[in-house]
Amino acid sequence: MGEQLPLDIVLRDEATLERFVQGKNGELVEVLASMNPANGQMILISGTTGSGKTHLLQATCRRALDAMYLPLEQLPVLSPAIFDGLSSRPLVCLDDIHLLAANPELELALFGLINEIRDSAHSFVFSSRSPLDQAGFKLQDLVSRLSACMQYALELPDEANKISYLRDDAARRGLELGDDVISWILTHMPRDMTSLASFMMQLDRESLRSHRKIT
């Protein structure tokens, strides 16, 4: 089990930087791996659904002491109160901040949180489904603050990266996946990394349950 967090949020065991399929995102992974929250770093990661934003935020949160990971999409209600006390954490990882866009109250609350984190010389890593200029934020002071972040747009892994991932993940789980099985997975299953990782977990459970080789 991963570290238990408030709101029944659990960091996934597989969410580590070592298990992230880097592809062309090596520079970002290196930055996150060397991150020291005491240096007051500000990082904004954008990427489509399934590109690995959540994986990277959870992995970064796992590496830091007393960090906070907050997936906005999973919260039942979005209100300024969700940010109360967050700035006291050395590292805050907010997933899907685009959900706050075009809501004046929430945008102002996010702006206030960023200022508090900066004043405390703490760090944050935020993610957004869209790049900053397409996220829809209206508060110009907030846009200015976010523009000052180190910004990275995730690039999806290519075919070779996905094949390598499936082989490596199968080996780690003790599964035997032939080329025909890998080809079938990439032909018939959703090809984003989140879906592939989820499918591999299902295969692992089914293999253990049935005591059968994956074909």
Side-chain angles (χ1 to χ4, degrees), residues 19-141:
R19 292 190 189 175
F20 182 72
V21 181
Q22 294 187 21
K24 297 180 180 180
N25 304 301
E27 179 183 342
L28 170 58
V29 174
E30 289 181 8
V31 169
L32 296 176
S34 62
M35 187 175 190
N36 181 353
N39 291 339
Q41 291 175 269
M42 305 183 300
I43 300 174
L44 177 60
I45 303 171
S46 63
T48 60
T49 299
S51 59
K53 302 186 301 297
T54 294
H55 185 119
L56 288 176
L57 264 64
Q58 289 198 9
T60 304
C61 192
R62 185 187 296 278
R63 296 170 64 90
L65 183 64
D66 196 27
M68 180 63 184
Y69 168 74
L70 195 62
L72 298 180
E73 191 172 44
Q74 295 183 28
L75 301 184
V77 177
L78 293 177
S79 73
I82 63 178
F83 299 136
D84 289 349
L86 287 187
S87 62
S88 65
R89 301 293 187 104
L91 174 64
V92 176
C93 296
L94 284 185
D95 216 349
D96 291 326
I97 64 168
H98 59 274
L99 296 175
L100 308 175
N103 183 312
E105 189 178 26
L106 293 176
E107 287 197 19
L108 186 61
L110 180 60
F111 175 66
L113 173 65
I114 293 174
N115 287 337
E116 291 173 3
I117 292 174
R118 284 162 48 97
D119 291 344
S120 301
H122 292 166
S123 297
F124 65 77
V125 181
F126 295 164
S127 83
S128 171
R129 193 170 297 166
S130 306
L132 180 57
D133 60 353
Q134 301 173 27
F137 290 106
K138 306 299 183 184
L139 182 63
Q140 289 305 306
D141 286 339

